[in-house]
Amino acid sequence: MPQDNQPVIEQDAITQTLSDTIKIATFNLFNYLEPPFAFYDFERIYTAEQWQKKQNWIAEYLIEYKPDVIGFQEVFSPESLKNLVAAQGYAYFEVVDEAEVIDDFICRSPVVAIASRYPITHIEAVIPDEELAVAMGLKNDFTFSRQPLLATIELPHIGECDCYVVHFKSKRPMIEHENSSHDESRTQTIIQTLKAEVTGSWGSSIQRGSEAALLLMSIIERREKTGLPMMLMGDFNDSLSDGVLAHLLTSSLRFISESESDVILAKYRLKDAWDLYQATDNCPEMAYRTPTHYYGMKKSILDYILLSCEFDAQYHSSLFEISEHDTYDRHLINPSFERDSQSTDHGIVCITLALRA
């Protein structure tokens, strides 16, 4: 049941988004874990007041922006999240994995989840192709750092649509140097730290890029079998323009003519929702893409929604086009402690799909 004082809208009072528009969002919740459990170490436990504040902040975003389908990341407490979103009119909620619990109450390895106002007709975990993994030089037991999910959702006008939610491996180095020797000089410490950071960062890049490649292969294989429209949303932990993830937007093939590639690849290609938005008349001429993450002075776009050709206004058979592309970031650029202290460290990307005339 919803927590005390949590903003609630009764189901019969919810105004359903007009059937000719659909809103899709990706939302990194940042350590969504119900107390008395702790995230990562025993000191990181929300107080009752902090937890209620976090619940309220999420609910208030849902009330204001009203996305129809939401891909969540960093979910430790899926049952609590299910109750929270149900109170805001999301009758359908799914996860395919669970966080790891150590020492009875310390949690790590959060999972992704999906919530929808429209029926979820199928749910499954995305499993990497073992043969492809080996062919790529990976181990045959390669696994995603966080298990992606696939949910097939019955959307207005377009029917069933495959919606993927991901949280790719972060840039945090996989190897860390621990100075275990009292005899180690400052120079030695710096050199060993350098080695660990370079190799550890590249190890994370290999994991992240491999996850993206194997996920895309799974998406293509399913598209070939079902022909269903596709959406991929989540925290990519990297820029799409970066070489490690660039293959998610593959638009041409070597040794295949451009005209032939356009015809064949159109069905299997994913495009960044921002690029699709910019290609429409809905996008202002000087539109600026809002960063979704800040680390010190560095701005990054880490959170994306990718779409298949059914949502591309330039594609002759598309049913929808993007009429709005919004990144909610007030809590990042103009935070109020009272309002935002238990929010999230990511911007929330939300797009509006409008039925084409």
Side-chain angles (χ1 to χ4, degrees), residues 126 128-129 132-139 142-145 148 168-169 174 202-218 243-248:
V126 179
D129 185 296
L132 282 176
V134 172
M136 290 166 57
L138 305 170
K139 295 181 179 179
F142 176 88
T143 57
F144 293 101
S145 55
F168 290 139
K169 178 71 178 73
M174 299 177 72
W202 180 241
S204 294
S205 296
I206 292 172
Q207 175 72 25
R208 185 168 58 259
S210 300
E211 289 176 353
L214 289 168
L215 174 65
L216 183 60
M217 295 307 100
S218 179
V244 174
L245 296 183
H247 48 272
L248 284 172

PDB file of all heavy atoms in Angstrom, residues 126 128-129 132-139 142-145 148 168-169 174 202-218 243-248:
ATOM      1  N   VAL A 126      16.538 -10.425 -21.128  1.00  0.00           N
ATOM      2  CA  VAL A 126      17.330 -10.546 -22.345  1.00  0.00           C
ATOM      3  C   VAL A 126      18.593 -11.337 -22.027  1.00  0.00           C
ATOM      4  O   VAL A 126      19.378 -10.945 -21.158  1.00  0.00           O
ATOM      5  CB  VAL A 126      17.703  -9.166 -22.911  1.00  0.00           C
ATOM      6  CG1 VAL A 126      18.546  -9.324 -24.179  1.00  0.00           C
ATOM      7  CG2 VAL A 126      16.445  -8.350 -23.203  1.00  0.00           C
ATOM      8  N   PRO A 128      22.181 -12.945 -23.344  1.00  0.00           N
ATOM      9  CA  PRO A 128      23.156 -12.807 -24.431  1.00  0.00           C
ATOM     10  C   PRO A 128      23.367 -14.116 -25.178  1.00  0.00           C
ATOM     11  O   PRO A 128      23.317 -15.203 -24.579  1.00  0.00           O
ATOM     12  CB  PRO A 128      24.430 -12.358 -23.713  1.00  0.00           C
ATOM     13  CG  PRO A 128      24.263 -12.796 -22.294  1.00  0.00           C
ATOM     14  CD  PRO A 128      22.792 -12.734 -22.016  1.00  0.00           C
ATOM     15  N   ASP A 129      23.580 -14.025 -26.475  1.00  0.00           N
ATOM     16  CA  ASP A 129      23.843 -15.188 -27.312  1.00  0.00           C
ATOM     17  C   ASP A 129      25.251 -15.711 -27.009  1.00  0.00           C
ATOM     18  O   ASP A 129      26.243 -15.006 -27.210  1.00  0.00           O
ATOM     19  CB  ASP A 129      23.718 -14.797 -28.788  1.00  0.00           C
ATOM     20  CG  ASP A 129      23.869 -15.980 -29.722  1.00  0.00           C
ATOM     21  OD1 ASP A 129      24.958 -16.592 -29.752  1.00  0.00           O
ATOM     22  OD2 ASP A 129      22.896 -16.288 -30.443  1.00  0.00           O
ATOM     23  N   LEU A 132      27.737 -15.891 -30.056  1.00  0.00           N
ATOM     24  CA  LEU A 132      28.205 -14.569 -30.451  1.00  0.00           C
ATOM     25  C   LEU A 132      29.193 -14.018 -29.436  1.00  0.00           C
ATOM     26  O   LEU A 132      30.184 -13.379 -29.804  1.00  0.00           O
ATOM     27  CB  LEU A 132      27.024 -13.611 -30.596  1.00  0.00           C
ATOM     28  CG  LEU A 132      26.193 -13.720 -31.875  1.00  0.00           C
ATOM     29  CD1 LEU A 132      25.015 -12.766 -31.824  1.00  0.00           C
ATOM     30  CD2 LEU A 132      27.060 -13.431 -33.100  1.00  0.00           C
ATOM     31  N   ALA A 133      28.930 -14.247 -28.159  1.00  0.00           N
ATOM     32  CA  ALA A 133      29.841 -13.764 -27.118  1.00  0.00           C
ATOM     33  C   ALA A 133      31.227 -14.365 -27.293  1.00  0.00           C
ATOM     34  O   ALA A 133      32.242 -13.651 -27.228  1.00  0.00           O
ATOM     35  CB  ALA A 133      29.278 -14.096 -25.737  1.00  0.00           C
ATOM     36  N   VAL A 134      31.290 -15.657 -27.540  1.00  0.00           N
ATOM     37  CA  VAL A 134      32.573 -16.328 -27.743  1.00  0.00           C
ATOM     38  C   VAL A 134      33.252 -15.804 -29.001  1.00  0.00           C
ATOM     39  O   VAL A 134      34.471 -15.560 -29.025  1.00  0.00           O
ATOM     40  CB  VAL A 134      32.373 -17.854 -27.818  1.00  0.00           C
ATOM     41  CG1 VAL A 134      33.672 -18.551 -28.231  1.00  0.00           C
ATOM     42  CG2 VAL A 134      31.894 -18.396 -26.471  1.00  0.00           C
ATOM     43  N   ALA A 135      32.461 -15.607 -30.068  1.00  0.00           N
ATOM     44  CA  ALA A 135      33.015 -15.088 -31.320  1.00  0.00           C
ATOM     45  C   ALA A 135      33.596 -13.692 -31.139  1.00  0.00           C
ATOM     46  O   ALA A 135      34.537 -13.293 -31.846  1.00  0.00           O
ATOM     47  CB  ALA A 135      31.937 -15.070 -32.405  1.00  0.00           C
ATOM     48  N   MET A 136      33.068 -12.934 -30.180  1.00  0.00           N
ATOM     49  CA  MET A 136      33.563 -11.590 -29.883  1.00  0.00           C
ATOM     50  C   MET A 136      34.797 -11.624 -28.979  1.00  0.00           C
ATOM     51  O   MET A 136      35.356 -10.573 -28.646  1.00  0.00           O
ATOM     52  CB  MET A 136      32.459 -10.763 -29.209  1.00  0.00           C
ATOM     53  CG  MET A 136      31.317 -10.393 -30.133  1.00  0.00           C
ATOM     54  SD  MET A 136      29.852  -9.777 -29.228  1.00  0.00           S
ATOM     55  CE  MET A 136      30.559  -8.393 -28.308  1.00  0.00           C
ATOM     56  N   GLY A 137      35.202 -12.809 -28.550  1.00  0.00           N
ATOM     57  CA  GLY A 137      36.363 -12.926 -27.676  1.00  0.00           C
ATOM     58  C   GLY A 137      36.014 -12.890 -26.200  1.00  0.00           C
ATOM     59  O   GLY A 137      36.899 -12.769 -25.348  1.00  0.00           O
ATOM     60  N   LEU A 138      34.723 -13.013 -25.893  1.00  0.00           N
ATOM     61  CA  LEU A 138      34.278 -13.015 -24.509  1.00  0.00           C
ATOM     62  C   LEU A 138      34.152 -14.444 -24.006  1.00  0.00           C
ATOM     63  O   LEU A 138      34.195 -15.412 -24.781  1.00  0.00           O
ATOM     64  CB  LEU A 138      32.923 -12.301 -24.396  1.00  0.00           C
ATOM     65  CG  LEU A 138      32.866 -10.874 -24.955  1.00  0.00           C
ATOM     66  CD1 LEU A 138      31.422 -10.389 -24.991  1.00  0.00           C
ATOM     67  CD2 LEU A 138      33.731  -9.935 -24.129  1.00  0.00           C
ATOM     68  N   LYS A 139      33.938 -14.594 -22.718  1.00  0.00           N
ATOM     69  CA  LYS A 139      33.729 -15.917 -22.147  1.00  0.00           C
ATOM     70  C   LYS A 139      32.328 -16.410 -22.494  1.00  0.00           C
ATOM     71  O   LYS A 139      31.412 -15.613 -22.709  1.00  0.00           O
ATOM     72  CB  LYS A 139      33.905 -15.879 -20.630  1.00  0.00           C
ATOM     73  CG  LYS A 139      35.325 -15.550 -20.187  1.00  0.00           C
ATOM     74  CD  LYS A 139      35.447 -15.548 -18.668  1.00  0.00           C
ATOM     75  CE  LYS A 139      36.865 -15.245 -18.230  1.00  0.00           C
ATOM     76  NZ  LYS A 139      36.998 -15.221 -16.744  1.00  0.00           N
ATOM     77  N   PHE A 142      29.400 -15.067 -20.401  1.00  0.00           N
ATOM     78  CA  PHE A 142      29.268 -13.621 -20.308  1.00  0.00           C
ATOM     79  C   PHE A 142      27.853 -13.251 -19.858  1.00  0.00           C
ATOM     80  O   PHE A 142      26.864 -13.800 -20.333  1.00  0.00           O
ATOM     81  CB  PHE A 142      29.549 -12.971 -21.667  1.00  0.00           C
ATOM     82  CG  PHE A 142      29.332 -11.476 -21.675  1.00  0.00           C
ATOM     83  CD1 PHE A 142      30.350 -10.608 -21.324  1.00  0.00           C
ATOM     84  CD2 PHE A 142      28.096 -10.940 -22.018  1.00  0.00           C
ATOM     85  CE1 PHE A 142      30.161  -9.233 -21.332  1.00  0.00           C
ATOM     86  CE2 PHE A 142      27.886  -9.561 -22.029  1.00  0.00           C
ATOM     87  CZ  PHE A 142      28.921  -8.715 -21.681  1.00  0.00           C
ATOM     88  N   THR A 143      27.772 -12.306 -18.921  1.00  0.00           N
ATOM     89  CA  THR A 143      26.474 -11.824 -18.459  1.00  0.00           C
ATOM     90  C   THR A 143      26.467 -10.303 -18.446  1.00  0.00           C
ATOM     91  O   THR A 143      27.512  -9.662 -18.372  1.00  0.00           O
ATOM     92  CB  THR A 143      26.145 -12.326 -17.037  1.00  0.00           C
ATOM     93  OG1 THR A 143      27.189 -11.905 -16.140  1.00  0.00           O
ATOM     94  CG2 THR A 143      26.026 -13.840 -16.994  1.00  0.00           C
ATOM     95  N   PHE A 144      25.276  -9.726 -18.528  1.00  0.00           N
ATOM     96  CA  PHE A 144      25.129  -8.282 -18.406  1.00  0.00           C
ATOM     97  C   PHE A 144      25.410  -7.870 -16.961  1.00  0.00           C
ATOM     98  O   PHE A 144      25.068  -8.595 -16.023  1.00  0.00           O
ATOM     99  CB  PHE A 144      23.712  -7.858 -18.785  1.00  0.00           C
ATOM    100  CG  PHE A 144      23.369  -8.067 -20.236  1.00  0.00           C
ATOM    101  CD1 PHE A 144      22.613  -9.162 -20.634  1.00  0.00           C
ATOM    102  CD2 PHE A 144      23.800  -7.177 -21.199  1.00  0.00           C
ATOM    103  CE1 PHE A 144      22.288  -9.358 -21.967  1.00  0.00           C
ATOM    104  CE2 PHE A 144      23.483  -7.358 -22.534  1.00  0.00           C
ATOM    105  CZ  PHE A 144      22.730  -8.456 -22.926  1.00  0.00           C
ATOM    106  N   SER A 145      26.002  -6.696 -16.785  1.00  0.00           N
ATOM    107  CA  SER A 145      26.251  -6.211 -15.428  1.00  0.00           C
ATOM    108  C   SER A 145      24.935  -5.962 -14.698  1.00  0.00           C
ATOM    109  O   SER A 145      24.845  -6.134 -13.482  1.00  0.00           O
ATOM    110  CB  SER A 145      27.088  -4.929 -15.457  1.00  0.00           C
ATOM    111  OG  SER A 145      26.492  -3.937 -16.265  1.00  0.00           O
ATOM    112  N   PRO A 148      19.054  -6.678 -18.545  1.00  0.00           N
ATOM    113  CA  PRO A 148      18.041  -5.912 -19.280  1.00  0.00           C
ATOM    114  C   PRO A 148      16.716  -6.678 -19.311  1.00  0.00           C
ATOM    115  O   PRO A 148      16.682  -7.907 -19.197  1.00  0.00           O
ATOM    116  CB  PRO A 148      18.619  -5.808 -20.698  1.00  0.00           C
ATOM    117  CG  PRO A 148      20.053  -6.239 -20.582  1.00  0.00           C
ATOM    118  CD  PRO A 148      20.111  -7.170 -19.420  1.00  0.00           C
ATOM    119  N   PHE A 168      23.439   0.053 -18.673  1.00  0.00           N
ATOM    120  CA  PHE A 168      24.725  -0.485 -19.072  1.00  0.00           C
ATOM    121  C   PHE A 168      25.791  -0.241 -17.995  1.00  0.00           C
ATOM    122  O   PHE A 168      25.648   0.627 -17.137  1.00  0.00           O
ATOM    123  CB  PHE A 168      25.195   0.147 -20.380  1.00  0.00           C
ATOM    124  CG  PHE A 168      24.391  -0.271 -21.590  1.00  0.00           C
ATOM    125  CD1 PHE A 168      24.056   0.655 -22.565  1.00  0.00           C
ATOM    126  CD2 PHE A 168      23.985  -1.581 -21.764  1.00  0.00           C
ATOM    127  CE1 PHE A 168      23.331   0.291 -23.684  1.00  0.00           C
ATOM    128  CE2 PHE A 168      23.257  -1.963 -22.876  1.00  0.00           C
ATOM    129  CZ  PHE A 168      22.925  -1.021 -23.846  1.00  0.00           C
ATOM    130  N   LYS A 169      26.863  -1.008 -18.096  1.00  0.00           N
ATOM    131  CA  LYS A 169      27.982  -0.918 -17.152  1.00  0.00           C
ATOM    132  C   LYS A 169      28.498   0.519 -17.063  1.00  0.00           C
ATOM    133  O   LYS A 169      28.668   1.200 -18.064  1.00  0.00           O
ATOM    134  CB  LYS A 169      29.119  -1.845 -17.605  1.00  0.00           C
ATOM    135  CG  LYS A 169      30.365  -1.791 -16.728  1.00  0.00           C
ATOM    136  CD  LYS A 169      30.136  -2.419 -15.376  1.00  0.00           C
ATOM    137  CE  LYS A 169      31.395  -2.406 -14.519  1.00  0.00           C
ATOM    138  NZ  LYS A 169      31.726  -1.061 -14.000  1.00  0.00           N
ATOM    139  N   MET A 174      36.927  -1.239 -13.265  1.00  0.00           N
ATOM    140  CA  MET A 174      36.669  -2.561 -12.706  1.00  0.00           C
ATOM    141  C   MET A 174      37.791  -3.020 -11.788  1.00  0.00           C
ATOM    142  O   MET A 174      37.643  -3.991 -11.050  1.00  0.00           O
ATOM    143  CB  MET A 174      36.490  -3.573 -13.853  1.00  0.00           C
ATOM    144  CG  MET A 174      35.325  -3.252 -14.772  1.00  0.00           C
ATOM    145  SD  MET A 174      35.191  -4.393 -16.169  1.00  0.00           S
ATOM    146  CE  MET A 174      34.606  -5.879 -15.354  1.00  0.00           C
ATOM    147  N   TRP A 202      39.218   0.601 -19.083  1.00  0.00           N
ATOM    148  CA  TRP A 202      39.042  -0.080 -20.365  1.00  0.00           C
ATOM    149  C   TRP A 202      38.229  -1.370 -20.178  1.00  0.00           C
ATOM    150  O   TRP A 202      37.404  -1.719 -21.033  1.00  0.00           O
ATOM    151  CB  TRP A 202      40.391  -0.394 -21.005  1.00  0.00           C
ATOM    152  CG  TRP A 202      40.237  -1.104 -22.331  1.00  0.00           C
ATOM    153  CD1 TRP A 202      40.688  -2.331 -22.667  1.00  0.00           C
ATOM    154  CD2 TRP A 202      39.552  -0.602 -23.479  1.00  0.00           C
ATOM    155  NE1 TRP A 202      40.333  -2.644 -23.955  1.00  0.00           N
ATOM    156  CE2 TRP A 202      39.629  -1.603 -24.476  1.00  0.00           C
ATOM    157  CE3 TRP A 202      38.868   0.587 -23.754  1.00  0.00           C
ATOM    158  CZ2 TRP A 202      39.056  -1.440 -25.735  1.00  0.00           C
ATOM    159  CZ3 TRP A 202      38.287   0.749 -25.010  1.00  0.00           C
ATOM    160  CH2 TRP A 202      38.387  -0.259 -25.983  1.00  0.00           C
ATOM    161  N   GLY A 203      38.436  -2.047 -19.074  1.00  0.00           N
ATOM    162  CA  GLY A 203      37.625  -3.234 -18.791  1.00  0.00           C
ATOM    163  C   GLY A 203      36.150  -2.894 -18.714  1.00  0.00           C
ATOM    164  O   GLY A 203      35.297  -3.633 -19.232  1.00  0.00           O
ATOM    165  N   SER A 204      35.822  -1.751 -18.091  1.00  0.00           N
ATOM    166  CA  SER A 204      34.428  -1.313 -18.021  1.00  0.00           C
ATOM    167  C   SER A 204      33.893  -0.977 -19.412  1.00  0.00           C
ATOM    168  O   SER A 204      32.735  -1.261 -19.731  1.00  0.00           O
ATOM    169  CB  SER A 204      34.298  -0.092 -17.102  1.00  0.00           C
ATOM    170  OG  SER A 204      34.612  -0.438 -15.768  1.00  0.00           O
ATOM    171  N   SER A 205      34.747  -0.356 -20.243  1.00  0.00           N
ATOM    172  CA  SER A 205      34.336  -0.026 -21.608  1.00  0.00           C
ATOM    173  C   SER A 205      34.066  -1.293 -22.419  1.00  0.00           C
ATOM    174  O   SER A 205      33.095  -1.352 -23.184  1.00  0.00           O
ATOM    175  CB  SER A 205      35.415   0.815 -22.302  1.00  0.00           C
ATOM    176  OG  SER A 205      35.573   2.061 -21.668  1.00  0.00           O
ATOM    177  N   ILE A 206      34.925  -2.299 -22.254  1.00  0.00           N
ATOM    178  CA  ILE A 206      34.709  -3.570 -22.948  1.00  0.00           C
ATOM    179  C   ILE A 206      33.383  -4.183 -22.527  1.00  0.00           C
ATOM    180  O   ILE A 206      32.602  -4.659 -23.362  1.00  0.00           O
ATOM    181  CB  ILE A 206      35.873  -4.549 -22.659  1.00  0.00           C
ATOM    182  CG1 ILE A 206      37.165  -4.047 -23.306  1.00  0.00           C
ATOM    183  CG2 ILE A 206      35.535  -5.954 -23.159  1.00  0.00           C
ATOM    184  CD1 ILE A 206      38.392  -4.834 -22.907  1.00  0.00           C
ATOM    185  N   GLN A 207      33.103  -4.170 -21.234  1.00  0.00           N
ATOM    186  CA  GLN A 207      31.849  -4.734 -20.726  1.00  0.00           C
ATOM    187  C   GLN A 207      30.658  -3.966 -21.276  1.00  0.00           C
ATOM    188  O   GLN A 207      29.697  -4.553 -21.776  1.00  0.00           O
ATOM    189  CB  GLN A 207      31.841  -4.692 -19.202  1.00  0.00           C
ATOM    190  CG  GLN A 207      30.543  -5.131 -18.542  1.00  0.00           C
ATOM    191  CD  GLN A 207      30.295  -6.632 -18.621  1.00  0.00           C
ATOM    192  OE1 GLN A 207      31.236  -7.411 -18.737  1.00  0.00           O
ATOM    193  NE2 GLN A 207      29.034  -7.045 -18.559  1.00  0.00           N
ATOM    194  N   ARG A 208      30.721  -2.637 -21.209  1.00  0.00           N
ATOM    195  CA  ARG A 208      29.606  -1.790 -21.651  1.00  0.00           C
ATOM    196  C   ARG A 208      29.358  -1.946 -23.159  1.00  0.00           C
ATOM    197  O   ARG A 208      28.223  -2.111 -23.609  1.00  0.00           O
ATOM    198  CB  ARG A 208      29.895  -0.333 -21.295  1.00  0.00           C
ATOM    199  CG  ARG A 208      28.758   0.628 -21.589  1.00  0.00           C
ATOM    200  CD  ARG A 208      29.004   1.982 -20.940  1.00  0.00           C
ATOM    201  NE  ARG A 208      30.238   2.619 -21.365  1.00  0.00           N
ATOM    202  CZ  ARG A 208      31.367   2.639 -20.665  1.00  0.00           C
ATOM    203  NH1 ARG A 208      31.437   2.079 -19.471  1.00  0.00           N
ATOM    204  NH2 ARG A 208      32.459   3.246 -21.123  1.00  0.00           N
ATOM    205  N   GLY A 209      30.439  -1.904 -23.942  1.00  0.00           N
ATOM    206  CA  GLY A 209      30.297  -2.048 -25.387  1.00  0.00           C
ATOM    207  C   GLY A 209      29.801  -3.422 -25.779  1.00  0.00           C
ATOM    208  O   GLY A 209      28.990  -3.568 -26.708  1.00  0.00           O
ATOM    209  N   SER A 210      30.267  -4.449 -25.070  1.00  0.00           N
ATOM    210  CA  SER A 210      29.821  -5.814 -25.349  1.00  0.00           C
ATOM    211  C   SER A 210      28.347  -5.986 -25.000  1.00  0.00           C
ATOM    212  O   SER A 210      27.597  -6.649 -25.722  1.00  0.00           O
ATOM    213  CB  SER A 210      30.668  -6.816 -24.557  1.00  0.00           C
ATOM    214  OG  SER A 210      32.034  -6.710 -24.912  1.00  0.00           O
ATOM    215  N   GLU A 211      27.935  -5.386 -23.887  1.00  0.00           N
ATOM    216  CA  GLU A 211      26.522  -5.438 -23.516  1.00  0.00           C
ATOM    217  C   GLU A 211      25.653  -4.821 -24.609  1.00  0.00           C
ATOM    218  O   GLU A 211      24.624  -5.386 -24.999  1.00  0.00           O
ATOM    219  CB  GLU A 211      26.300  -4.683 -22.199  1.00  0.00           C
ATOM    220  CG  GLU A 211      26.858  -5.382 -20.984  1.00  0.00           C
ATOM    221  CD  GLU A 211      26.724  -4.565 -19.699  1.00  0.00           C
ATOM    222  OE1 GLU A 211      26.318  -3.391 -19.781  1.00  0.00           O
ATOM    223  OE2 GLU A 211      27.006  -5.115 -18.623  1.00  0.00           O
ATOM    224  N   ALA A 212      26.079  -3.657 -25.106  1.00  0.00           N
ATOM    225  CA  ALA A 212      25.302  -2.973 -26.139  1.00  0.00           C
ATOM    226  C   ALA A 212      25.227  -3.804 -27.418  1.00  0.00           C
ATOM    227  O   ALA A 212      24.163  -3.915 -28.046  1.00  0.00           O
ATOM    228  CB  ALA A 212      25.908  -1.600 -26.425  1.00  0.00           C
ATOM    229  N   ALA A 213      26.356  -4.391 -27.823  1.00  0.00           N
ATOM    230  CA  ALA A 213      26.387  -5.180 -29.056  1.00  0.00           C
ATOM    231  C   ALA A 213      25.507  -6.424 -28.945  1.00  0.00           C
ATOM    232  O   ALA A 213      24.724  -6.739 -29.849  1.00  0.00           O
ATOM    233  CB  ALA A 213      27.825  -5.576 -29.390  1.00  0.00           C
ATOM    234  N   LEU A 214      25.622  -7.139 -27.838  1.00  0.00           N
ATOM    235  CA  LEU A 214      24.841  -8.370 -27.672  1.00  0.00           C
ATOM    236  C   LEU A 214      23.358  -8.066 -27.486  1.00  0.00           C
ATOM    237  O   LEU A 214      22.495  -8.821 -27.943  1.00  0.00           O
ATOM    238  CB  LEU A 214      25.393  -9.175 -26.492  1.00  0.00           C
ATOM    239  CG  LEU A 214      26.761  -9.810 -26.755  1.00  0.00           C
ATOM    240  CD1 LEU A 214      27.373 -10.341 -25.472  1.00  0.00           C
ATOM    241  CD2 LEU A 214      26.648 -10.933 -27.788  1.00  0.00           C
ATOM    242  N   LEU A 215      23.050  -6.958 -26.826  1.00  0.00           N
ATOM    243  CA  LEU A 215      21.650  -6.559 -26.710  1.00  0.00           C
ATOM    244  C   LEU A 215      21.083  -6.235 -28.084  1.00  0.00           C
ATOM    245  O   LEU A 215      19.967  -6.662 -28.426  1.00  0.00           O
ATOM    246  CB  LEU A 215      21.521  -5.342 -25.794  1.00  0.00           C
ATOM    247  CG  LEU A 215      20.112  -4.737 -25.713  1.00  0.00           C
ATOM    248  CD1 LEU A 215      19.134  -5.709 -25.078  1.00  0.00           C
ATOM    249  CD2 LEU A 215      20.127  -3.416 -24.949  1.00  0.00           C
ATOM    250  N   LEU A 216      21.827  -5.490 -28.898  1.00  0.00           N
ATOM    251  CA  LEU A 216      21.353  -5.146 -30.229  1.00  0.00           C
ATOM    252  C   LEU A 216      21.128  -6.399 -31.069  1.00  0.00           C
ATOM    253  O   LEU A 216      20.141  -6.488 -31.824  1.00  0.00           O
ATOM    254  CB  LEU A 216      22.357  -4.222 -30.925  1.00  0.00           C
ATOM    255  CG  LEU A 216      21.949  -3.723 -32.304  1.00  0.00           C
ATOM    256  CD1 LEU A 216      20.643  -2.937 -32.247  1.00  0.00           C
ATOM    257  CD2 LEU A 216      23.059  -2.864 -32.922  1.00  0.00           C
ATOM    258  N   MET A 217      21.991  -7.386 -30.947  1.00  0.00           N
ATOM    259  CA  MET A 217      21.794  -8.630 -31.690  1.00  0.00           C
ATOM    260  C   MET A 217      20.501  -9.320 -31.269  1.00  0.00           C
ATOM    261  O   MET A 217      19.766  -9.859 -32.088  1.00  0.00           O
ATOM    262  CB  MET A 217      22.984  -9.573 -31.478  1.00  0.00           C
ATOM    263  CG  MET A 217      24.311  -9.071 -32.037  1.00  0.00           C
ATOM    264  SD  MET A 217      24.246  -8.591 -33.782  1.00  0.00           S
ATOM    265  CE  MET A 217      24.105  -6.790 -33.653  1.00  0.00           C
ATOM    266  N   SER A 218      20.213  -9.280 -29.974  1.00  0.00           N
ATOM    267  CA  SER A 218      18.977  -9.870 -29.476  1.00  0.00           C
ATOM    268  C   SER A 218      17.750  -9.107 -30.005  1.00  0.00           C
ATOM    269  O   SER A 218      16.740  -9.703 -30.379  1.00  0.00           O
ATOM    270  CB  SER A 218      18.975  -9.870 -27.944  1.00  0.00           C
ATOM    271  OG  SER A 218      17.784 -10.412 -27.429  1.00  0.00           O
ATOM    272  N   GLY A 243      32.616   5.761 -29.417  1.00  0.00           N
ATOM    273  CA  GLY A 243      32.825   4.553 -30.211  1.00  0.00           C
ATOM    274  C   GLY A 243      32.331   3.283 -29.551  1.00  0.00           C
ATOM    275  O   GLY A 243      31.941   2.337 -30.229  1.00  0.00           O
ATOM    276  N   VAL A 244      32.337   3.253 -28.216  1.00  0.00           N
ATOM    277  CA  VAL A 244      31.938   2.036 -27.500  1.00  0.00           C
ATOM    278  C   VAL A 244      30.463   1.709 -27.711  1.00  0.00           C
ATOM    279  O   VAL A 244      30.068   0.544 -27.726  1.00  0.00           O
ATOM    280  CB  VAL A 244      32.252   2.193 -25.991  1.00  0.00           C
ATOM    281  CG1 VAL A 244      31.715   1.025 -25.193  1.00  0.00           C
ATOM    282  CG2 VAL A 244      33.757   2.297 -25.780  1.00  0.00           C
ATOM    283  N   LEU A 245      29.624   2.731 -27.887  1.00  0.00           N
ATOM    284  CA  LEU A 245      28.187   2.516 -28.039  1.00  0.00           C
ATOM    285  C   LEU A 245      27.665   2.884 -29.426  1.00  0.00           C
ATOM    286  O   LEU A 245      26.472   2.701 -29.698  1.00  0.00           O
ATOM    287  CB  LEU A 245      27.405   3.332 -26.994  1.00  0.00           C
ATOM    288  CG  LEU A 245      27.627   2.975 -25.525  1.00  0.00           C
ATOM    289  CD1 LEU A 245      26.713   3.824 -24.649  1.00  0.00           C
ATOM    290  CD2 LEU A 245      27.382   1.494 -25.264  1.00  0.00           C
ATOM    291  N   ALA A 246      28.531   3.394 -30.291  1.00  0.00           N
ATOM    292  CA  ALA A 246      28.077   3.916 -31.580  1.00  0.00           C
ATOM    293  C   ALA A 246      27.351   2.866 -32.417  1.00  0.00           C
ATOM    294  O   ALA A 246      26.468   3.200 -33.223  1.00  0.00           O
ATOM    295  CB  ALA A 246      29.264   4.475 -32.363  1.00  0.00           C
ATOM    296  N   HIS A 247      27.669   1.596 -32.223  1.00  0.00           N
ATOM    297  CA  HIS A 247      27.040   0.556 -33.053  1.00  0.00           C
ATOM    298  C   HIS A 247      25.544   0.406 -32.786  1.00  0.00           C
ATOM    299  O   HIS A 247      24.839  -0.209 -33.576  1.00  0.00           O
ATOM    300  CB  HIS A 247      27.755  -0.789 -32.867  1.00  0.00           C
ATOM    301  CG  HIS A 247      28.002  -1.171 -31.445  1.00  0.00           C
ATOM    302  ND1 HIS A 247      29.131  -0.778 -30.761  1.00  0.00           N
ATOM    303  CD2 HIS A 247      27.285  -1.902 -30.570  1.00  0.00           C
ATOM    304  CE1 HIS A 247      29.102  -1.267 -29.531  1.00  0.00           C
ATOM    305  NE2 HIS A 247      27.985  -1.942 -29.384  1.00  0.00           N
ATOM    306  N   LEU A 248      25.059   0.969 -31.673  1.00  0.00           N
ATOM    307  CA  LEU A 248      23.616   0.928 -31.424  1.00  0.00           C
ATOM    308  C   LEU A 248      22.850   1.696 -32.492  1.00  0.00           C
ATOM    309  O   LEU A 248      21.650   1.456 -32.699  1.00  0.00           O
ATOM    310  CB  LEU A 248      23.292   1.501 -30.045  1.00  0.00           C
ATOM    311  CG  LEU A 248      23.601   0.611 -28.844  1.00  0.00           C
ATOM    312  CD1 LEU A 248      23.413   1.391 -27.549  1.00  0.00           C
ATOM    313  CD2 LEU A 248      22.727  -0.640 -28.851  1.00  0.00           C
TER     314      LEU A 248
END
